[in-house]
Amino acid sequence: MTMRAVMLAGLATLLVAAAPDVVSAPGRPEAMVKLDEGRKPAAVLAQSLIGSGARVMDVMAGQGYYSELLARWVGPKGKVFAVEPVSYMDDPKTAAAWDALKKRNANVELIVGAPGEAAMPDKLDAAFYHLTYHDLYWQSEKFKYPRTDVDAYNARLFAALKPGGVVIIIDHYGVPGMDSRAQADKTHRIDADVVKADMARAGFRFAGSVPILEMTGDDPTKLVFDPSLRGKTNRFYYRFVKP
């Protein structure tokens, strides 16, 4: 085992010990806590290679499920930049959820805009995509979500990360070989090999997969919002590092 591998293993051990306190500490909305069983956030954070004091970008953050956990994880000396498309903030419930979340977590900054258009913070230690990387291939007039130039976006991401910075991508396994934009539109999934290829082109090094969110019984041809599958999809968890 290399010295780097030993160091990463030691870091993961330390993070495993800290993660349950981050997840179980009081103050999170009940609706978010109910999602923990399927999302396994303690284990996800423990394997993330994200440390205390880190500057983290949470992309397409929804109502802030992971933004809040990451804010607790990195601590008061860290910072979480949550990127949220403009149209999502038109929902009064989402806007109210963010107002409350920012009051609970002073180290969270909300950036409103689609990923390809929003300002990207610099000197990042990490970027986090929880079931949202496929959205870089999605576009929708109905939801006012513009087309993203994926390679140009990832080039910006590479420039924004510090050397040694980590990118965490968790997403739904899609159909291998299927066109990424068609798949994002039809099922909100992505071919996992496309993610690896995208990140390699941008200059990132693959730093391993974590199998904790892989599940049997999923049908990769089905929409992830199908009631029979929602919350039960087979998901990959990939880590990438900027050399």
Side-chain angles (χ1 to χ4, degrees):
M1 183 179 288
T2 66
M3 181 59 69
R4 178 175 175 79
V6 171
M7 292 174 65
L8 292 179
L11 175 60
T13 300
L14 291 173
L15 296 182
V16 167
D21 292 336
V22 169
V23 174
S24 62
R28 295 171 63 215
E30 183 179 352
M32 298 297 181
V33 174
K34 287 182 178 179
L35 298 173
D36 290 349
E37 183 177 359
R39 295 186 176 183
K40 304 180 181 178
V44 166
L45 291 170
Q47 299 294 330
S48 69
L49 309 181
I50 299 172
S52 176
R55 287 166 58 87
V56 184
M57 181 172 64
D58 183 17
V59 183
M60 297 281 285
Q63 291 191 359
Y65 175 89
Y66 263 112
S67 296
E68 180 151 29
L69 290 171
L70 286 164
R72 294 176 173 201
W73 185 257
V74 301
K77 293 184 178 180
K79 183 89 172 181
V80 175
F81 301 92
V83 179
E84 190 80 320
V86 175
S87 60
Y88 287 27
M89 296 304 294
D90 290 339
D91 180 351
K93 289 184 178 180
T94 298
W98 277 107
D99 285 343
L101 187 151
K102 289 191 293 179
K103 288 178 182 177
R104 294 192 301 270
N105 303 276
N107 59 342
V108 172
E109 179 179 330
L110 180 62
I111 299 174
V112 179
E117 299 178 342
M120 189 175 291
D122 61 1
K123 299 178 181 177
L124 290 170
D125 295 289
F128 194 90
Y129 299 78
H130 180 252
L131 309 180
T132 60
Y133 185 86
H134 69 267
D135 287 316
L136 298 181
Y137 285 96
W138 182 57
Q139 64 185 106
S140 172
E141 288 188 19
K142 177 181 177 181
F143 292 102
K144 304 175 185 177
Y145 187 84
R147 184 184 182 95
T148 304
D149 182 327
V150 178
D151 282 347
Y153 173 85
N154 283 334
R156 290 173 59 212
L157 175 64
F158 189 86
L161 278 162
K162 299 176 186 176
V166 63
V167 179
I168 301 300
I169 299 179
I170 296 168
D171 219 323
H172 313 275
Y173 275 106
V175 176
M178 184 175 177
D179 178 78
S180 297
R181 294 195 184 276
Q183 189 154 210
D185 184 63
K186 183 178 180 181
T187 63
H188 283 269
R189 297 173 181 265
I190 191 166
D191 179 350
D193 286 342
V194 167
V195 176
K196 287 183 178 179
D198 286 355
M199 300 303 283
R201 281 197 309 278
F204 292 98
R205 177 180 61 80
F206 183 59
S209 77
V210 182
I212 56 175
L213 298 172
E214 295 181 359
M215 301 184 71
T216 59
D218 185 20
D219 181 348
T221 68
K222 285 190 174 181
L223 178 68
V224 299
F225 305 121
D226 185 302
S228 67
L229 287 177
R230 192 159 190 178
K232 302 174 184 177
T233 57
N234 187 23
R235 289 154 282 168
F236 58 87
Y237 175 170
Y238 287 167
R239 302 180 300 198
F240 301 89
V241 172
K242 177 177 177 177

